């Protein structure tokens, strides 16, 4: 734009002397010029018209350019991949705790941060339409539909009409789609991208919709995670369905899915020995995949989040290599939330580390692949009211002030009763099992020893030796702490999580969610400035649909028509 106007000014300058330029600007004829006055008049008029036209041209150019750059964001011309990561229940305190834990265990400097820290982007406000504290369902609906809804809603609006999701719209537009999680694949976050039900507890219905038995038929190409029990008929061992519908058979026979339920089946895909046949359903656990802390000793049974994510990325890249459209993949670190609900800090740091590793793996993929792509990651909410500090005793501040006033010495030493501000990552590092795993072990032990009639004393010895010392890595449990577990084995999980939290001086204010803003992370890239700073969770939903430029409203229309028809024939 500037270059177009430069010759005009330059020519003008070349053709006039210093003072005549001044005069021309003031609209006066220069006295040292020869010729009749009307010639100068005409020259002025021409110059003025020229300037006017140039200005108008500039304005038109500017408007056109700004319009073009706006449409560049929402209307990609090239092929794009979009990876959206959700760290369920991970608030800012989880990052501080995990960062310090990693530095402690690996002997790193304070500047050695997590991958996530290096890609901090902004923060998200999380409230739902029905509460100041959201649940995962309303949280994920804000991402999938870019709309606020009530707690429990699976891509349903407050008026109980379905809202189209970015994944469904992506599928309609020719993208390949995938979901990777460590909890049940029917759980709220993945469900919100791939199904529509009034309340999240309708897992039986969600499973059916996810394989293609819903209003839109099949919209997902790849699903990896847990929650197998929702896909097996109630006549089968390991089913948690209320009916005898065999969702696996429906998936295979009616919608063409390839299905695997074990690590061996996954390994063929993971090491790239076989091309991943799509649609691909991999359900590696009956319900949750174990916490990473426990899973690493069972890696022959369960794949990790990063392994599932990398396999999914490779599969979706291969499947779209000859397509004009890329893929949309949602990856969830699902169980950061569970460790928060259980108030188990040892389980949580390993969940966050695995999520961080997965984030790095996605960045590496985006670097290597030829297709333009973006990674955006955030949490739906915080869980546990985690505080990376917990003082078990109060410090008499008031008293100490008085003592300071009457003190006579000016010692540079801190007073002996000055509080120590610290927490102990070493306690978390000592744990080799989660409280969840140890509680299951206790229940199994009680069940197997019930017939033998073991005494409370024997049970307390077992709890201390096999669970608290061997599992939690705590060697100073008190009699009172152990006796409480023996008397209340149903509360063993909470009690063991408390033993470890207290010794690490980690605090929790809740076993539920909290309203604190959560972090947004991104690789950066086209349009990601829209989610810089502090944004509403629905703005992240807006970003997702805009980045791949898909018609989510069109899907909403389609769903509304189909749901109206269905509700006339059946109670929905
Ligand atoms: C299994 O499902 C059928 C309906 O599909 C139902 O009639 C039956 O009661 C269920 N059985 C159990 C044990 O839940
Ligand atoms: C589990 O695996 C980790 C890392 O490989 C190891 O350090 C730990 O000792 C193992 N724990 C158990 C209970 O086998
Ligand atoms: C960790 O466990 C060891 C024994 O294996 C114990 O000596 C040490 O005190 C424990 N450290 C912490 C911080 O609990
Ligand atoms: C209970 O008794 C059986 C054999 O009678 C034994 O195999 C088992 O280990 C015992 N369980 C405990 C917890 O002592
Ligand atoms: Zn959640």
């Amino acid at each position: 734009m500037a270059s177009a106007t430069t010759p005009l000014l330059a020519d003008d300058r070349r053709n006039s002397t210093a003072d005549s330029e001044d005069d021309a600007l003031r609209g006066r004829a220069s006295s040292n010029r020869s010729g009749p006055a009307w010639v100068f008049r005409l020259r002025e008029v021409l110059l003025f018209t020229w300037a006017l036209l140039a200005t108008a041209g500039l304005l038109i150019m500017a408007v056109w350019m700004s319009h073009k750059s706006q449409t560049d964001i929402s209307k990609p011309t090239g092929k794009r991949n979009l990876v959206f990561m959700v760290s369920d229940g991970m608030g800012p305190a989880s990052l501080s705790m995990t960062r310090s834990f990693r530095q402690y265990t690996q002997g790193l400097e304070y500047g050695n941060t997590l991958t996530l820290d290096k890609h901090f982007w902004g923060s998200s406000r999380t409230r739902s339409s029905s509460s100041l504290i959201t649940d995962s369902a309303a949280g994920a609906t804000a991402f999938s539909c870019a709309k606020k809804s009530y707690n429990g809603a699976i891509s349903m609006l407050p008026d109980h009409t379905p809202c189209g999701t970015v994944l469904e719209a992506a599928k309609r537009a020719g993208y390949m789609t995938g979901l990777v999680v460590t909890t049940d694949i029917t759980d709220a976050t993945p469900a919100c991208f791939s199904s529509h039900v009034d309340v999240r507890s309708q897992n039986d219905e969600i499973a059916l919709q996810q394989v293609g038995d819903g209003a839109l038929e099949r919209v997902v190409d790849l699903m990896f995670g847990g929650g197998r029990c929702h896909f097996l008929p109630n006549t089968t061992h390991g089913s948690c369905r209320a009916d005898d519908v065999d969702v696996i058979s429906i998936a295979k026979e009616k919608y063409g899915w390839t299905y695997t339920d074990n690590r061996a089946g996954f390994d063929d895909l993971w090491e790239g020995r076989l091309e991943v046949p799509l649609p691909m359903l991999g359900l590696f656990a009956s319900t949750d995949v174990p916490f990473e802390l426990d899973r690493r000793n069972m890696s022959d049974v369960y794949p990790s989040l990063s392994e599932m994510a990398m396999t999914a990325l490779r599969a979706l890249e291969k499947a779209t290599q000859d397509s004009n459209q890329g893929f949309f993949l949602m990856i969830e670190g699902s169980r950061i939330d569970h460790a928060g609900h259980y108030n188990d800090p040892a389980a949580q740091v390993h969940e966050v580390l695995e999520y961080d590793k997965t984030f790095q793996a996605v960045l590496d993929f985006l670097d290597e692949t030829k297709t333009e792509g973006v990674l955006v990651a955030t949490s739906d909410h915080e869980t546990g009211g985690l505080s990376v500090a917990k003082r078990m005793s109060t410090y008499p501040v008031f008293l100490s002030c008085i003592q300071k006033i009457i003190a006579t010495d000016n010692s540079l030493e801190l007073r002996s009763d000055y509080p120590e501000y610290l927490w102990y990552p070493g306690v978390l590092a000592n744990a080799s099992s989660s409280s969840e795993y140890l509680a299951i072990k206790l229940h199994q032990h009680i069940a197997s020893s019930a017939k033998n009639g073991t005494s409370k004393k024997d049970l307390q010895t077992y709890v201390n030796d096999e669970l608290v010392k061997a599992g939690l890595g705590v060697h100073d449990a008190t009699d009172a702490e152990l006796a409480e577990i023996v008397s209340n084995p149903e509360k063993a999980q909470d009690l063991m999580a408390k033993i470890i939290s207290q010794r690490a001086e980690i605090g929790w204010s809740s076993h539920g969610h909290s309203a604190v803003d959560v972090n947004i992370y991104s690789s950066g890239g086209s349009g990601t400035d829209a989610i810089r700073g502090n944004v509403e969770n629905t703005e992240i939903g807006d970003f997702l649909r805009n980045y791949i430029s898909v018609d989510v409203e069109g899907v909403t229309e389609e769903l509304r028509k189909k749901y109206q028809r269905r509700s006339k024939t059946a109670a929905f």
Side-chain angles (χ1 to χ4, degrees):
M1 278 182 290
S3 63
T5 61
T6 312
L8 177 72
L9 296 171
D11 282 354
D12 194 40
R13 278 202 193 96
R14 256 198 311 276
N15 294 343
S16 56
T17 63
D19 45 353
S20 73
E21 190 180 325
D22 247 21
D23 290 337
L25 283 172
R26 290 188 201 111
R28 277 196 272 114
S30 170
S31 56
N32 64 354
R33 286 205 182 146
S34 55
W38 67 267
V39 174
F40 297 107
R41 195 86 224 149
L42 180 65
R43 197 179 115 91
E44 267 179 54
V45 169
L46 283 174
L47 265 172
F48 180 73
T49 315
W50 196 354
L52 205 66
L53 285 174
T55 312
L58 269 175
L59 279 172
I60 290 166
M61 282 265 284
V63 169
W64 180 74
M65 295 277 285
S66 93
H67 180 73
K68 188 171 175 289
S69 68
Q70 273 167 19
T71 46
D72 271 353
I73 292 167
S74 57
K75 290 249 183 319
T77 44
K79 184 172 168 179
R80 285 182 170 187
N81 294 330
L82 175 57
V83 181
F84 181 49
M85 289 182 67
V86 179
S87 41
D88 200 310
M90 182 176 81
S94 298
L95 276 297
S96 312
M97 180 170 75
T98 306
R99 185 190 310 123
S100 298
F101 173 80
R102 179 171 164 274
Q103 289 168 356
Y104 172 88
T105 51
Q106 298 184 21
L108 306 171
E109 296 294 319
Y110 62 80
N112 198 316
T113 58
L114 301 170
T115 299
L116 287 167
D117 292 324
K118 299 182 184 81
H119 293 84
F120 177 79
W121 206 254
S123 64
S124 163
R125 305 186 295 269
T126 65
R127 71 155 295 176
S128 71
S129 74
S130 64
S131 175
L132 290 175
I133 303 181
T134 188
D135 80 330
S136 298
T141 299
F143 304 142
S144 64
C145 295
K147 297 263 183 356
K148 293 276 185 188
S149 196
Y150 57 92
N151 287 5
I154 301 295
S155 289
M156 282 287 193
L157 296 177
D159 65 358
H160 292 268
T161 60
C163 50
T165 78
V166 59
L167 182 145
E168 292 163 340
K171 185 68 190 169
R172 283 282 186 274
Y175 285 80
M176 297 299 266
T177 62
L179 300 170
V180 172
V181 303
T182 50
T183 184
D184 297 10
I185 195 76
T186 57
D187 200 51
T189 311
C192 279
F193 287 90
S194 52
S195 69
H196 305 270
V197 294
D198 284 317
V199 285
R200 56 183 294 179
S201 54
Q202 293 169 270
N203 289 283
D204 291 356
E205 171 64 18
I206 292 167
L208 275 166
Q209 292 189 23
Q210 285 179 319
V211 300
D213 222 41
L216 301 178
E217 303 220 323
R218 189 175 63 77
V219 290
V220 195
D221 294 300
L222 180 147
M223 290 193 279
F224 284 155
R228 193 195 304 136
C229 77
H230 304 290
F231 292 74
L232 304 174
N234 70 358
T235 48
T236 319
H237 176 72
S239 167
C240 55
R241 287 189 73 82
D243 58 27
D244 57 5
V245 175
D246 183 346
V247 185
I248 299 293
S249 292
I250 293 175
K252 288 202 272 198
E253 281 148 33
K254 206 165 160 198
Y255 300 102
W257 291 82
T258 300
Y259 171 65
T260 181
D261 65 354
N262 59 69
R263 176 84 213 208
F266 178 79
D267 281 346
D268 287 339
L269 316 172
W270 159 234
E271 278 144 21
R273 265 180 276 157
L274 291 181
E275 200 171 299
V276 179
L278 298 182
M280 176 79 218
L281 176 63
L283 300 177
F284 306 107
S286 179
T287 56
D288 296 318
V289 173
F291 281 127
E292 182 59 23
L293 175 57
D294 306 315
R295 192 209 63 84
R296 36 180 214 175
N297 300 95
M298 299 183 261
S299 59
D300 56 332
V301 184
Y302 306 100
S304 67
L305 180 67
S306 55
E307 288 170 341
M308 291 192 285
M310 284 158 72
T311 305
L313 287 168
R314 264 203 296 265
L316 294 172
E317 183 186 38
K318 190 97 206 300
T320 53
Q321 67 183 1
D322 300 321
S323 169
N324 295 328
Q325 303 289 35
F327 60 79
F328 171 75
L329 174 63
M330 194 286 293
I331 302 167
E332 184 191 36
S334 317
R335 305 204 67 209
I336 298 167
D337 173 67
H338 296 186
H341 281 291
Y342 301 154
N343 291 0
D344 185 335
Q348 184 161 95
V349 291
H350 290 276
E351 290 303 293
V352 175
L353 284 176
E354 179 62 21
Y355 183 78
D356 195 59
K357 180 180 175 182
T358 308
F359 189 96
Q360 181 64 59
V362 176
L363 289 178
D364 292 345
F365 171 86
L366 290 175
D367 273 353
E368 285 157 21
T369 187
K370 289 194 285 286
T371 307
E372 182 196 332
V374 152
L375 165 60
V376 167
T378 191
S379 309
D380 47 358
H381 53 80
E382 194 269 354
T383 303
L386 171 64
S387 150
V388 194
K390 182 186 177 85
R391 282 220 68 77
M392 297 307 290
S393 58
T394 50
Y395 173 62
V397 177
F398 175 68
L399 193 67
S400 89
C401 284
I402 291 173
Q403 283 170 353
K404 221 178 272 167
I405 290 163
I406 58 172
T408 48
D409 67 326
N410 287 323
S411 168
L412 290 175
E413 299 278 301
L414 283 172
R415 291 160 37 91
S416 63
D417 60 347
Y418 186 79
E420 286 186 293
Y421 287 114
L422 43 71
W423 71 278
Y424 298 102
V427 176
L428 308 191
N430 254 22
S432 57
S433 297
S434 70
S435 58
E436 176 187 61
Y437 178 84
L438 297 171
I440 293 169
K441 213 171 151 184
L442 174 63
H443 296 141
Q444 283 170 349
H445 177 82
I446 291 171
S448 79
S449 59
K451 296 170 221 101
N452 308 29
T454 29
S455 67
K456 282 208 162 181
K457 192 168 169 293
D458 287 346
L459 190 55
Q460 185 162 324
T461 306
Y462 172 83
V463 167
N464 197 19
D465 293 349
E466 303 299 322
L467 308 182
V468 175
K469 282 186 187 164
L472 295 183
V474 169
H475 297 263
D476 60 356
T478 63
D479 258 357
E481 283 174 322
L482 297 169
E484 202 181 353
I485 295 175
V486 170
S487 316
N488 306 282
E490 73 288 351
K491 290 187 187 156
Q493 184 170 330
D494 282 354
L495 293 169
M496 285 190 285
K498 196 169 152 195
I499 285 178
I500 204 159
S501 291
Q502 286 191 345
R503 280 164 181 73
E505 302 229 8
I506 289 293
W508 303 91
S509 68
S510 173
H511 279 281
H513 301 167
S514 80
V516 70
D517 290 356
V518 294
N519 291 346
I520 302 170
Y521 301 93
S522 180
S523 59
S526 179
T528 49
D529 277 348
I531 46 171
R532 273 276 192 202
N534 182 247
V535 300
E536 204 66 45
N537 55 3
T538 49
E539 292 178 64
I540 297 168
D542 287 330
F543 168 81
L544 297 178
R545 61 178 63 186
N546 288 341
Y547 181 72
I548 51 175
S549 185
V550 293
D551 179 18
V552 183
E553 298 314 323
V555 177
T556 302
E557 285 301 303
E558 189 183 341
L559 279 166
R560 291 229 168 115
K561 280 181 200 135
K562 287 177 175 163
Y563 271 66
Q564 270 164 14
R565 214 175 303 139
R566 282 174 81 160
S567 56
K568 272 181 201 140
T569 52
F572 210 84

